[in-house]
Amino acid sequence: MAEPDEEPPLTVAEIMGLIRSDDKDDRLDGLIELSEVIDGAFGEDAALLGEEVRELEGVMVLAWLINDPEVEVQQQALLVLGNLCSDACDPNSYLTKQQLLLAGADRTITMVLQSEDANVLLYACGCIQNLCVDDEWAQALVENHVEGRLAELLVHENY
């Protein structure tokens, strides 16, 4: 039971409002909040969460934030997308993967693999791992020549 002074948790719509903000700190706060909600969701709750994010066009926003000028925002967007694209997190993650592919995120993820930030690379690779379960995603990434960069990352100084 919530303490009397404790604020109720943000709704997914409120979180998405933060993520859509022009303010970097709001975007980052929203992404962290969404990440925490995803971490605590399992089974049917996780499926409903994924559905709500998709219905609120959150996948498109998250795909856009992969290229945010702020590295911390990129990291969190990739972390959230990686989780939303995991079958273990959302049994309907194939729908998120479809929306991401339609948004052109295959090119965006290919570009972010050139980042100098080790955490961006880590989260991008985690996201790719979950995306490649889908044949269309695997094909799209091959068409973007991602395998060459992934081979380079095998000997990256931070891994």
Side-chain angles (χ1 to χ4, degrees):
M1 188 163 149
E3 295 293 322
D5 294 338
E6 193 176 311
E7 292 187 35
L10 296 175
T11 66
V12 175
E14 291 169 331
I15 293 170
M16 290 309 305
L18 285 171
I19 292 171
R20 286 184 172 92
S21 174
D22 290 335
D23 182 77
K24 173 202 97 141
D25 292 329
D26 284 347
R27 286 193 309 275
L28 192 53
D29 287 347
L31 287 164
I32 290 168
E33 185 77 24
L34 184 56
S35 181
E36 290 173 1
V37 171
I38 292 168
D39 260 0
F42 302 95
E44 186 178 323
D45 289 340
L48 290 172
L49 176 61
E51 181 180 340
E52 191 168 5
V53 170
R54 288 187 296 272
E55 286 177 359
L56 293 168
E57 298 181 359
V59 174
M60 301 291 280
V61 173
L62 292 165
W64 175 70
L65 290 177
I66 293 171
N67 277 332
D68 193 271
E70 300 295 330
V71 171
E72 296 88 0
V73 171
Q74 290 177 14
Q75 292 170 358
Q76 288 298 315
L78 286 162
L79 174 64
V80 167
L81 280 171
N83 285 331
L84 289 173
C85 290
S86 168
D87 294 341
C89 177
D90 177 3
N92 298 315
S93 68
Y94 70 95
L95 297 168
T96 300
K97 293 171 191 161
Q98 286 175 348
Q99 283 188 4
L100 264 179
L101 196 55
L102 289 172
D106 54 314
R107 294 179 299 281
T108 308
I109 289 174
T110 299
M111 291 175 7
V112 81
L113 280 176
Q114 301 306 317
S115 176
E116 296 294 320
D117 185 85
N119 286 327
V120 168
L121 293 172
L122 176 70
Y123 293 133
C125 288
C127 191
I128 287 170
Q129 177 182 357
N130 291 335
L131 290 168
C132 284
V133 172
D134 180 89
D135 290 340
E136 290 180 47
W137 259 101
Q139 181 62 37
L141 291 169
V142 167
E143 289 171 5
N144 282 288
H145 310 287
V146 169
E147 70 277 2
R149 179 61 177 150
L150 292 175
E152 291 172 2
L153 291 174
L154 288 173
V155 293
H156 192 276
E157 63 191 33
N158 289 319
Y159 299 108

